[in-house]
Amino acid sequence: MSRVKNSNTAPEMAIRRELYRRGLRYRVNMILPQMCRIRPDLVFLRSRVAVFVDGCFWHRCPEHGTSPKTNREWWRKKLDTNVSRDRAADSALVEAGWKVIRIWEHENVMRAADLIEETVRKRSSRTSKRTSWKPR
């Protein structure tokens, strides 16, 4: 499993290229402050949007997720742990005021980019209206 790619996958790179083309800037695989072990694939700091591009096998896609035939019990526990870790990360981020977007690897890149762009721009315009904060 050490050879399994966990970042810069083809679906993630396609979404990143499209978002960059649209003028959106983001951080990649950034560890969020006070959020140990939570490392979203894309982070939009100003709008507080965290994007995860999930693989169908590793995160149990309801459409394409499969279970291996050999060593079935070990894989069941492993994949269940992945899914429960995803839910815990989502809860922690939402509680801290972040918007979480999860994209499956099989989803259309343009539709995924549309959703991300709409969310980021909406949340950015909301945060830019708060002008009461002044640096010391």
Side-chain angles (χ1 to χ4, degrees):
M1 284 200 310
S2 64
R3 287 184 247 159
V4 174
K5 215 172 177 184
N6 62 1
S7 64
N8 300 327
T9 61
E12 181 184 332
M13 294 301 293
I15 291 170
R16 283 169 43 184
R17 276 191 294 275
E18 181 58 26
L19 292 173
Y20 194 87
R21 188 188 69 71
R22 294 177 184 203
L24 293 173
R25 301 301 180 254
Y26 45 82
R27 302 271 178 113
V28 178
N29 293 322
M30 178 183 169
I31 296 175
L32 300 173
Q34 293 98 27
M35 301 276 176
C36 63
R37 290 196 54 153
I38 299 177
R39 191 181 284 235
D41 296 315
L42 302 172
V43 176
F44 297 88
L45 284 173
R46 179 179 287 180
S47 57
R48 296 177 67 91
V49 175
V51 179
F52 295 89
V53 182
D54 292 338
C56 290
F57 173 75
W58 296 103
H59 299 272
R60 289 232 166 122
C61 170
E63 292 179 45
H64 302 106
T66 60
S67 294
K69 302 269 189 264
T70 58
N71 209 358
R72 188 169 273 190
E73 186 59 25
W74 185 87
W75 278 107
R76 186 190 63 73
K77 287 179 186 175
K78 167 71 177 149
L79 299 177
D80 285 348
T81 302
N82 289 352
V83 172
S84 65
R85 188 181 320 117
D86 292 345
R87 296 304 146 260
D90 292 352
S91 297
L93 286 167
V94 167
E95 197 172 294
W98 287 78
K99 172 69 175 169
V100 178
I101 298 175
R102 289 204 173 261
I103 307 290
W104 289 110
E105 70 178 346
H106 67 266
E107 288 187 48
N108 180 285
V109 172
M110 296 309 241
R111 274 186 273 183
D114 289 343
L115 171 65
I116 295 167
E117 180 180 22
E118 179 184 333
T119 305
V120 168
R121 294 203 190 280
K122 191 181 297 181
R123 288 180 62 99
S124 290
S125 67
R126 210 171 16 159
T127 57
S128 66
K129 290 178 184 174
R130 297 181 201 154
T131 56
S132 60
W133 182 83
K134 292 180 182 153
R136 295 181 182 193

